[in-house]
Amino acid sequence: QAKLGGRNRYCFFTARMNEEAESRLRIEGELRRAVGTEQLFLHYQPLVEVRTGRVLGMEALLRWKNPELGAMPPDRFIPQAETSGLIVPIGRMVLNSACLAARRWVDAGFGDVRVCVNVSPRQFQDAGFLGDVRAALGATELPAANLELEITEGLLLAERGEVDVLLHALGDMGVHLSIDDFGTGYSSLSYLERYPFDTLKIDRSFMVGMLERQERKVLVETIVAMASGLGLKVIAEGVETTEQLAHLDAINCDIAQGYLFSRPIPEAEVMALLERGFSV
Ligand code: C2E
Ligand code: MG
Ligand code: MG
Ligand code: MG
């Protein structure tokens, strides 16, 4: 009886593992075919200055609409793009089209608005990455200061020498660097003084229940105080309510991003949003 149960369980897991492996392969195959097509495109979400309501930047967020698989969220396909290496050509396309969009905003008179691009560790470790950034800026004639690269702490665990050289090369070019999902990684805080970061994005998990949970409130306040003491700007991600925003303002958090202001929107709607701005 027990033996049979065990065996069934074994079969069950095997079948499930097969299914998962199959769907991973399927996603990878479809993704490979999607590179360079309009299946992959960007949405943009505003980064808003808390005190003024001014839009300081737009984060480019990758979207994939596949005729077979439907709309696939980045959390499901970015990991696969990473392991397969597809993130390199995809990331290059993201950089190019984000810089092109930002160029249009600059031309329309929004010269202060940055475009923020997510860079995954695998992409960052690619030998051609610095060249890709230069090429995207060159082709679009976007000033380097209008580009911000978002890097997660995971990257900083990689071989230190190369990361060091690359981050400083980007900083010297005038590209802005931010730490994404801050507070969820495992790296030591010493990187905050070692590398030329200028912005820290507090992971959106900290916003959940921030006002109700004293410990979480203290963590957020402490991160904001530490960042400003180090001369870094702070962005709170995942801001959904006016109460959260008021609290962030009270603790001097500079910038907020979240559904309260706007969901990520198609590029065609960005210009109208920049013209409208936000009133706070
Ligand atoms: P992220 O860089 O931390 O991006 C923020 C995510 O939070 C986005 O999810 C955004 O839609 C979501 N978000 C924004 N405001 C709110 C809010 O108020 N409430 C909630 N619940 N969520 C909010 P999205 O677009 O699904 O992207 C997920 C992740 O996928 C990103 O996290 C980023 O790590 C990765 N990603 C997206 N685009 C790219 C890309 O072009 N390249 C790379 N390498 N990674 C990307
Ligand atoms: Mg990001
Ligand atoms: Mg984030
Ligand atoms: Mg995130």
Side-chain angles (χ1 to χ4, degrees):
Q1 181 74 340
K3 222 173 176 179
L4 190 65
R7 194 158 161 198
N8 279 342
R9 201 151 58 231
Y10 173 76
C11 291
F12 171 75
F13 278 125
T14 310
R16 230 180 90 169
M17 276 156 63
N18 268 334
E19 244 170 64
E20 274 169 19
E22 230 173 75
S23 101
R24 268 204 299 275
L25 274 178
R26 176 128 185 265
I27 290 175
E28 189 184 317
E30 290 291 336
L31 192 56
R32 195 175 297 279
R33 276 188 290 279
V35 178
T37 73
E38 64 270 29
Q39 278 185 35
L40 287 165
F41 54 95
L42 297 174
H43 274 180
Y44 293 90
Q45 188 182 35
L47 280 60
V48 182
E49 189 171 50
V50 173
R51 269 174 308 110
T52 62
R54 223 157 45 99
V55 175
L56 302 181
M58 300 293 293
E59 179 173 2
L61 292 160
L62 190 56
R63 296 293 176 259
W64 180 23
K65 221 181 257 169
N66 179 272
E68 304 279 314
L69 304 164
M72 182 74 70
D75 289 332
R76 276 199 67 196
F77 70 85
I78 301 265
Q80 238 117 304
E82 280 245 314
T83 49
S84 63
L86 283 171
I87 195 67
V88 173
I90 292 172
R92 201 177 291 134
M93 172 229 106
V94 168
L95 258 176
N96 284 321
S97 69
C99 288
L100 192 59
R103 175 76 241 178
R104 293 195 194 103
W105 308 334
V106 170
D107 289 344
F110 301 102
D112 295 335
V113 176
R114 294 180 192 173
V115 72
C116 306
V117 175
N118 293 285
V119 180
S120 68
R122 174 68 178 77
Q123 202 186 339
F124 203 85
Q125 281 152 13
D126 185 80
F129 182 70
L130 191 61
D132 290 346
V133 174
R134 282 218 182 84
L137 291 172
T140 56
E141 294 181 45
L142 184 73
N146 285 71
L147 175 64
E148 181 157 312
L149 299 178
E150 297 191 1
I151 289 154
T152 52
E153 291 172 272
L155 175 84
L156 305 170
L157 298 171
E159 307 102 285
R160 197 166 126 189
E162 288 167 35
V163 170
D164 204 278
V165 169
L166 196 44
L167 286 174
H168 282 101
L170 289 164
D172 291 345
M173 274 168 71
V175 172
H176 294 281
L177 299 170
S178 67
I179 303 165
D180 204 355
D181 303 340
F182 182 82
T184 60
Y186 299 96
S187 13
S188 94
L189 288 174
S190 62
Y191 68 77
L192 289 176
E193 62 168 7
R194 191 178 326 129
Y195 299 124
F197 287 108
D198 47 36
T199 309
L200 192 155
K201 301 187 77 172
I202 304 176
D203 191 69
R204 67 171 192 260
S205 59
F206 286 97
M207 288 303 116
V208 181
M210 172 183 66
L211 299 178
E212 294 78 31
R213 295 178 54 175
Q214 187 57 24
E215 294 85 355
R216 199 159 285 184
K217 217 171 174 175
V218 170
L219 280 175
V220 173
E221 274 195 58
T222 306
I223 294 170
V224 171
M226 176 192 70
S228 72
L230 292 169
L232 299 166
K233 285 190 188 296
V234 201
I235 302 180
E237 301 186 301
V239 179
E240 295 184 354
T241 68
T242 51
E243 289 79 13
Q244 288 170 334
L245 187 67
H247 177 68
L248 291 166
D249 192 17
I251 63 172
N252 296 314
C253 177
D254 311 315
I255 308 166
Q257 177 181 3
Y259 296 165
L260 175 64
F261 292 106
S262 170
R263 298 219 164 219
I265 55 171
E267 198 204 322
E269 295 171 27
V270 170
M271 212 72 91
L273 183 145
L274 291 177
E275 268 152 22
R276 205 166 57 236
F278 294 98
S279 48
V280 289

